[in-house]
Amino acid sequence: MSLISAPEGIYVYSSTPSYGGNLSILGAGNLDSSLSTICKQERAFAPILDVGCQSVAPLVSTLLVSANNLTSFYTDIPTNLPMRGGPTGTILADDLASFFTVDLHVTLEAAGLGSTDFWTYGDLNGNYASGVTCNDGSDNSNAFTGYVGTPLASAVGWNSVFAAGCDQAYKVFCICYRPVSGGGG
């Protein structure tokens, strides 16, 4: 038994591989189940300070659930804990609600999440950005685009910096958390 425990929070982590815009290639063949599969698979390899943090959710907006409204689908995500960089535990935002609505305390890079851009499919506020989602995650050509975020910025909008061709490969960011009782997702 360890005398040191990780600080409470929702931990952000990055996929190890980069993916083309067709993020719906895994799971049951739709974007949401595929992203869930990616986050579950990548959790095993992610350097996260809180090793007991096992429930996961993607930080990629979909038609079903926008990244800024994850608790509408993942009802067991705690809403009163800080958002933290997975490898370091550094506080990024005071809670999930402010993660997209106010400037981050530090950049995702400063919190140990690397310097590689990542797919978001979200607008400046984390809402699903219809039309810039690589055809709802089904395309990996340059015929469509998807919004990409940067870990190098901390100002509101860090999650929607530019639209990239879906033939490009970027990381996928996810969160892990210890579920609150009574939820399910």
Side-chain angles (χ1 to χ4, degrees), residues 113-127:
L113 294 163
S115 58
T116 305
D117 294 336
F118 52 94
W119 292 114
T120 66
Y121 297 167
D123 67 11
L124 296 174
N125 300 311
N127 295 301

Side-chain angles (χ1 to χ4, degrees), residues 108-143:
L108 296 168
E109 180 190 39
L113 294 163
S115 58
T116 305
D117 294 336
F118 52 94
W119 292 114
T120 66
Y121 297 167
D123 67 11
L124 296 174
N125 300 311
N127 295 301
Y128 181 72
S130 183
V132 278
T133 64
C134 293
N135 199 26
D136 201 33
S138 67
D139 186 76
N140 67 344
S141 73
N142 65 1

Side-chain angles (χ1 to χ4, degrees), residues 22-158:
N22 58 338
L23 294 174
S24 63
I25 60 174
L26 301 173
N30 69 52
L31 185 55
D32 294 285
S33 66
S34 182
L35 288 168
S36 180
T37 298
I38 290 169
C39 289
K40 286 176 185 171
Q41 289 175 346
E42 291 299 316
R43 173 59 191 97
F45 305 105
I48 297 174
L49 196 58
D50 183 356
V51 295
C53 154
Q54 294 299 318
S55 294
V56 300
L59 285 176
V60 178
S61 292
T62 71
L63 189 57
L64 177 65
V65 60
S66 290
N68 67 353
N69 194 22
L70 288 174
T71 56
S72 69
F73 184 73
Y74 300 92
T75 59
D76 61 347
I77 296 176
T79 56
N80 61 341
L81 297 177
M83 299 292 292
R84 296 180 177 275
T88 63
T90 302
I91 295 177
L92 295 163
D94 294 335
D95 52 37
L96 185 59
S98 63
F99 192 52
F100 294 100
T101 59
V102 299
D103 291 353
L104 299 176
H105 294 293
V106 299
T107 65
L108 296 168
E109 180 190 39
L113 294 163
S115 58
T116 305
D117 294 336
F118 52 94
W119 292 114
T120 66
Y121 297 167
D123 67 11
L124 296 174
N125 300 311
N127 295 301
Y128 181 72
S130 183
V132 278
T133 64
C134 293
N135 199 26
D136 201 33
S138 67
D139 186 76
N140 67 344
S141 73
N142 65 1
F144 293 93
T145 60
Y147 274 137
V148 173
T150 179
L152 307 177
S154 60
V156 170
W158 54 267

Side-chain angles (χ1 to χ4, degrees), residues 3-27:
L3 297 175
I4 302 172
S5 64
E8 281 189 314
I10 298 169
Y11 285 79
V12 178
Y13 63 98
S14 173
S15 65
T16 300
S18 294
Y19 296 88
N22 58 338
L23 294 174
S24 63
I25 60 174
L26 301 173

